[in-house]
Amino acid sequence: YLSKAVPNPPVDAVVSSFQACKRLAANCAVSDGAGKTPQFSLRTLARALRYAVRAVLQKVHALPAPVAVVEGLLMSFATPLDAPSAEIVQRLVYQNLNVALPKSLQPAAKKRKIDPSELECTAEIHVDPNKEHIKVEG
């Protein structure tokens, strides 16, 4: 499937992702939106790969090959799952395809609280009694 559109298709990574998704389903580690064990088959994989090829070859807004493969796998394997299961599959696909996790899946960075006393205000307010406006500088 991929060789039509992708010069060096990530065959091993796609196979690893497919096998891992099948194992997760077989071990009841993931569930679909109805709370049931999903059925992943070669048909599911074929749909993912057909989507990736179409996404790469489309004339308008074509996707880069790695992005298209990830999108295809996620569309076929993660979309039918409930949220916690979908996150498991998303992480697995990104890891197998060696693609950086999107910010939504990365651990939240600790935000430093800003102490108001650290802020310095240098603004000056000038009021001209002859005019109807205020001028703020700084």
Side-chain angles (χ1 to χ4, degrees):
Y1 282 96
L2 290 177
S3 61
K4 298 175 192 174
V6 180
N8 297 313
V11 175
D12 293 336
V14 170
V15 170
S16 299
S17 296
F18 173 66
Q19 290 173 335
C21 287
K22 292 244 338 150
R23 272 194 306 278
L24 286 170
N27 295 332
C28 300
V30 293
S31 57
D32 64 14
K36 302 203 186 280
T37 303
Q39 298 296 316
F40 297 135
S41 65
L42 286 175
R43 176 186 280 180
T44 312
L45 179 61
R47 284 186 188 132
L49 298 178
R50 278 196 309 266
Y51 171 85
V53 169
R54 283 194 306 264
V56 169
L57 295 178
Q58 64 188 356
K59 293 180 181 177
V60 179
H61 304 296
L63 294 176
V67 174
V69 173
V70 168
E71 293 277 325
L73 290 172
L74 294 180
M75 178 201 60
S76 294
F77 293 98
T79 300
L81 303 178
D82 62 13
S85 299
E87 186 173 330
I88 292 169
V89 170
Q90 287 173 338
R91 288 179 183 279
L92 181 134
V93 168
Y94 281 107
Q95 180 182 350
N96 283 342
L97 289 164
N98 200 23
V99 175
L101 284 173
K103 288 183 181 180
S104 61
L105 292 177
Q106 292 176 0
K110 291 184 179 179
K111 294 183 180 177
R112 183 175 88 81
K113 281 193 169 187
I114 297 175
D115 182 8
S117 65
E118 294 176 14
L119 300 176
E120 184 178 319
C121 181
T122 58
E124 295 180 24
I125 300 175
H126 301 279
V127 180
D128 187 347
N130 299 328
K131 298 184 180 177
E132 296 179 2
H133 66 273
I134 298 173
K135 183 178 180 182
V136 179
E137 295 177 356

